[in-house]
Amino acid sequence: MEMAKITINGQAVSVPAGTTILQAARQAKIDIPTLCDHPALRPAGSCRICVVEVKGQRVLQTACTFPITGGMEILTESPRVVGARKLILDLLFSERNHYCPYCEMSGSCELQSLGYRYGINHWVYPTYLNPFPVDASHRYLLMEHNRCVLCGRCFRACGELVANHTLGLRQRGARSMIHADLGLPWGESTCVSCGTCAQVCPTGTLIDKRSAYMGRNAQMRYVESACSQCSVGCGMKIVTRSDSVLRLEGDWDTKVSGGLLCQKGRFAPLYDGRERVLRPLVRRNGRQEAAGWEEALRVAAEGLSGRKGDLGVLASSNATTEALYLTGRLFKETLKASRIGLLNPAVSEALGKPKGSLADLAGSDLILLAGADPLQDQPVVAFLIKRAVDGGARLVLVDGESNGLAPFASMTLAMDGLDQAVQMAERAANPVVLYGAAVPDGAAGMLKRLQKKAAFIALEPGVNTRAAKAFGLAGTLQPAGIKALYLLLGEEAGEGAELAERIDKDAFVVVQSCFASPLTRRADVVLPMAIWSERSGSLTNTEGRTLKVQHAVDPAGEAKPDWEILALLAERLGMKVGASLEDVAASLRK
Ligand code: SF4
Ligand code: SF4
Ligand code: SF4
Ligand code: FES
């Protein structure tokens, strides 16, 4: 790699040739202000706030786009540079309504911070306040055009990162406006509610409705965690204030998703209106009644012990790895349960451990997607696939006629056309195979022909299925004939009415759940469980990465984290695992 020696403000810096001035300055810990630039987006060079002086150049240059060559002498805060930045800010503040005290982003706005940095304390130019409309038609977001500085981050994110291309720019000059689908109300557009545009917007234009006016960034706590709504496990930050979750933000530094979240990860968990189970319940004389944890665990332990052949356990894969590990050990090893099942379907094991990662999609020229609908089940994977298609990759769908990605596919085949898809992948340079639970064992065998050539990614329909399988929790379970049944439901979305019907009338049933359902109503003992934001632990995502989930707020009511309930129950049943998450994790590592 050819290195270029330069100076920035007289400081010697050595960087690879071709690096932008902005990247070189950041490497040297020299701060150049930016507005249209965002680390996750390609440089656009449109706002010009990052201009710098480059010796020998006739005009100021935008640091975010200008490439370094050896010998350059750069000044980032010279009087000429500062004057130019002030002019740009004076012009930006004179357009539209940047009256900060009334803006939801005041205190967290990048334009406002630049105003303070360069001493913009009055209007130099006449302001014009032709009011622009406010679009409040979106369920989760608000578009306040009067605060927009036309930096373009939002529509670049919608196109470059999400590959959804909903947002764009219409009109010209001072009348320019962001729009959704050439002027549709945002809530009626093709927007898939990923929220990425709002996260990158530097001003108070694209606003999260739920957390608006709930406080400044400095008053909030940011807890690094991973989304536990599907098997991708996108990195995210849980933003809280006063033990309340205000919003969720994608973590730009995560390797899993590079900052992307989808509607089911970013918004749906905060709009979940299901009734929580908040205290333990025990059935007494045929009626469910509130009980303390001691009594509920004692009744559960008595009802489950000594059952062996009559005992069954059915777990949801949305539990943490620690909870699934304890479930496997307690029910398989200690209680010798005869019937063990997983609530969620799982991908075929015929292909062994898949060797590939979602990052492989970026360099792929052919994507073979079989037996999965990521737009529905793992939306961020769908965004990455659409990005690859935008970059020239061909998408071949197998068993995907009603697949959400069908409009982006070069070819859609039935499962019996898999051979043709495999032949196409054999001819490609960098094929990637994504396969889901709808690929039967026989067809999976056919995909094996690509194992030397392609990257393979299994798309597990459940959240933590890879961990569940590792602890022997797999397959379906028919509850008929079982006399004692433990249901680790967690946050399972299904109402469970049909399963409740199939449980024997005289069976003893313990349900560990976050939400009330026909199954909790059927239970003899209900153990209230903490939801995603109230628990810590780990998950294994669909690529096989271990991800940490962090508790951000205290559990509601008397609920406890999934692993803790199982550890307490295990202790009463004679299994020693310790009382803390660290104890359980240490036991798991052994
Ligand atoms: S809406 Fe926000 S991100 Fe989009 S152009 Fe306006 S200020 Fe920039
Ligand atoms: S929420 Fe997502 S899909 Fe909708 S406009 Fe914003 S970036 Fe595009
Ligand atoms: S793709 Fe899955 S893990 Fe990522 S944000 Fe969406 S639901 Fe969460
Ligand atoms: S940040 Fe460089 S031109 Fe906008």
Side-chain angles (χ1 to χ4, degrees), residues 413 415-424 426 446 449:
L413 300 161
M415 193 56 80
D416 59 12
L418 184 61
D419 183 50
Q420 188 185 346
V422 170
Q423 285 179 33
M424 288 175 74
E426 281 171 333
M446 195 178 293
R449 278 174 23 212

Side-chain angles (χ1 to χ4, degrees), residues 61-369:
Q61 298 295 341
T62 48
C64 65
T65 55
F66 202 85
I68 296 279
T69 49
M72 277 165 80
E73 292 173 35
I74 299 156
L75 295 174
T76 69
E77 292 286 337
S78 67
R80 193 174 159 213
V81 166
V82 170
R85 288 190 193 142
K86 279 187 167 182
L87 173 67
I88 292 162
L89 288 169
D90 282 334
L91 291 169
L92 285 176
F93 274 100
S94 72
E95 282 198 32
R96 310 199 186 196
N97 179 353
H98 295 297
Y99 196 53
C100 300
Y102 294 94
C103 179
E104 128 58 24
M105 279 289 273
S106 182
S108 314
C109 169
E110 293 180 36
L111 178 67
Q112 186 187 36
S113 301
L114 287 169
Y116 284 126
R117 176 166 172 173
Y118 289 101
I120 309 297
N121 52 17
H122 64 286
W123 281 282
V124 173
Y125 300 105
T127 59
Y128 80 89
L129 287 175
N130 294 341
F132 283 83
V134 174
D135 185 342
S137 61
H138 197 286
R139 181 169 180 207
Y140 307 112
L141 301 166
L142 188 93
M143 195 182 278
E144 182 11 336
H145 290 280
N146 298 288
R147 312 278 195 207
C148 183
V149 291
L150 302 170
C151 67
R153 280 194 197 176
C154 55
F155 58 80
R156 282 150 57 212
C158 190
E160 280 175 34
L161 302 181
V162 192
N164 212 53
H165 305 283
T166 298
L167 296 182
L169 197 61
R170 72 181 157 128
Q171 300 275 23
R172 309 201 56 166
R175 304 207 59 77
S176 300
M177 275 171 76
I178 299 305
H179 68 85
D181 290 339
L182 299 172
L184 278 184
W186 201 6
E188 294 169 26
S189 71
T190 53
C191 170
V192 291
S193 298
C194 69
T196 312
C197 53
Q199 190 173 323
V200 297
C201 178
T203 66
T205 312
L206 304 181
I207 304 168
D208 176 273
K209 284 182 177 176
R210 193 175 177 280
S211 65
Y213 297 100
M214 300 290 265
R216 310 285 180 230
N217 282 1
Q219 296 164 313
M220 299 183 188
R221 204 163 66 91
Y222 288 73
V223 180
E224 280 181 24
S225 192
C227 175
S228 36
Q229 306 301 322
C230 89
S231 57
V232 182
C234 297
M236 69 178 189
K237 292 187 179 165
I238 306 175
V239 185
T240 71
R241 187 179 180 190
S242 307
D243 212 30
S244 240
V245 179
L246 297 185
R247 66 172 180 271
L248 302 172
E249 291 185 357
D251 182 351
W252 300 114
D253 295 328
T254 182
K255 286 205 172 70
V256 178
S257 52
L260 292 179
L261 293 178
C262 70
Q263 182 270 348
K264 51 182 211 178
R266 190 190 296 268
F267 296 115
L270 303 180
Y271 288 73
D272 191 338
R274 286 179 290 167
E275 181 193 347
R276 287 288 300 272
V277 184
L278 294 174
R279 57 206 302 200
L281 302 171
V282 169
R283 193 172 293 283
R284 300 190 192 106
N285 301 319
R287 284 168 56 107
Q288 260 185 1
E289 291 174 347
W293 271 104
E294 271 306 315
E295 182 190 357
L297 290 165
R298 177 177 51 73
V299 175
E302 285 169 6
L304 296 170
S305 59
R307 300 282 194 156
K308 292 187 183 168
D310 283 344
L311 178 62
V313 58
L314 187 55
S316 159
S317 72
N318 67 22
T320 58
T321 300
E322 291 75 11
L324 293 167
Y325 159 69
L326 290 176
T327 307
R329 268 194 67 192
L330 176 62
F331 287 91
K332 287 181 70 178
E333 287 179 26
T334 306
L335 297 176
K336 314 277 185 230
S338 60
R339 313 260 288 272
I340 291 164
L342 191 64
L343 267 165
N344 322 86
V347 298
S348 166
E349 293 292 283
L351 284 159
K353 266 203 185 143
K355 290 192 182 66
S357 78
L358 294 171
D360 292 319
L361 287 167
S364 164
D365 60 340
L366 185 135
I367 298 166
L368 197 170
L369 173 62

